Amino acid sequence: MTKDVAAPDPWARFRAATRARIGLGRSGDSVPTGALLDFQLAHARARDAVHGTVDFDALAEEIGLPTIRVDSAAANRDSYLRRPDLGRRLDESSRAKLPPGPYDAVFIVADGLSTAVQRHAAPLLKLCLAELTDWRLGPVILAGQARVGLGDEIGALTGAALSVMLIGERPGLSVADSMGLYLTWEPRAGRNDSERNCISNIHAHGLSYEAAAAKLLWLMRAAKACKLTGVGLKEEALLP
């Protein structure tokens, strides 16, 4: 009697190359129970990341450098999520905290749409700052309820030629703690996203700290030399 042999899974090689949910199978009119539970867990983690709180005191201690704590005009998380415009400008008390500079660059660590900076910001900062000893750097700014555009006002008030924002990206159903970087030359209110450079997907299953640091350092030096960021600055960094 011949023993039945299971047919090879045609999706196996594709799953090895992506964390996307592909070839989940079917159980009646729905997906299998295991796939459904996995989806619900990923959705819960994404929601927790959006509504989570960054412990900026712990983050400042881990960074181990002078820091300044500021907040956007969004008074709470609900306001931040409903009013993106408030997350792009500082509240009144925060403006007075910023030193006038001038600086070659200012680093801003912002919560954004997830708690990713809690895990990823300090290791990446340490790699970058070790290579920027010839730059005039301002204190690290820790920004709560922040959108990317908040870096424009912070950069302008500190007199920084370049603002570099590390921020939690919007979580997805495969990664809930991805961090992004945004660079803006001559930051000021009204800058468009096309005038920035972005490095995204920094997380355990994405871009490593070493690769992200190499890209960031190349872009910072190129921005300083060319005096611009955005679509006019093409990233050509060689990854380690």
Side-chain angles (χ1 to χ4, degrees):
M1 186 173 179
T2 306
K3 186 176 181 181
D4 292 337
V5 178
D9 182 359
W11 293 96
R13 66 190 182 97
F14 298 109
R15 290 197 196 93
T18 178
R19 291 173 59 81
R21 289 170 172 78
I22 56 175
L24 299 179
R26 186 176 65 185
S27 178
D29 294 331
S30 183
V31 296
T33 301
L36 176 61
L37 293 175
D38 178 69
F39 178 89
Q40 291 174 335
L41 176 60
H43 186 256
R45 285 173 173 164
R47 287 178 61 88
D48 287 346
V50 169
H51 293 280
T53 302
V54 172
D55 185 342
F56 283 110
D57 290 336
L59 187 55
E61 186 174 347
E62 187 178 1
I63 291 171
L65 295 169
T67 61
I68 295 176
R69 179 75 170 85
V70 299
D71 290 291
S72 78
N76 51 54
R77 199 61 175 172
D78 184 66
S79 175
Y80 170 81
L81 294 173
R82 293 174 181 272
R83 292 282 307 276
D85 59 309
L86 296 180
R88 299 188 185 105
R89 62 177 189 263
L90 291 166
D91 66 10
E92 289 296 332
S93 62
S94 293
R95 292 191 182 97
K97 297 179 182 179
L98 297 175
Y103 302 110
D104 292 327
V106 61
F107 282 90
I108 305 154
V109 180
D111 48 7
L113 285 166
S114 76
T115 56
V117 293
Q118 193 81 65
R119 180 176 181 182
H120 305 305
L124 182 59
L125 270 177
K126 290 175 181 177
L127 286 175
C128 294
L129 295 177
E131 301 294 327
L132 295 171
T133 55
D134 57 334
W135 284 56
R136 293 176 301 166
L137 300 176
V140 177
I141 310 299
L142 305 179
Q145 311 294 7
R147 301 277 177 171
V148 172
L150 190 70
D152 295 337
E153 185 176 8
I154 292 173
L157 289 173
T158 57
L162 179 69
S163 68
V164 183
M165 178 174 277
L166 291 69
I167 190 168
E169 296 181 314
R170 179 179 286 103
L173 294 175
S174 58
V175 179
D177 67 340
S178 181
M179 185 177 74
L181 306 175
Y182 290 85
L183 294 84
T184 309
W185 179 257
E186 292 186 346
R188 61 177 183 271
R191 281 296 197 192
N192 297 319
D193 288 341
S194 61
E195 297 173 291
R196 315 184 199 281
N197 287 89
C198 174
I199 304 171
S200 62
N201 290 308
I202 302 167
H203 56 84
H205 302 284
L207 199 63
S208 69
Y209 300 144
E210 292 76 15
K215 285 176 172 285
L216 176 57
L217 290 167
W218 189 95
L219 282 169
M220 290 182 68
R221 289 164 179 152
K224 189 177 183 182
C226 299
K227 301 190 184 311
L228 62 84
T229 50
V231 296
L233 182 62
K234 305 302 182 184
E235 190 258 318
E236 300 174 359
L238 297 177
L239 297 182

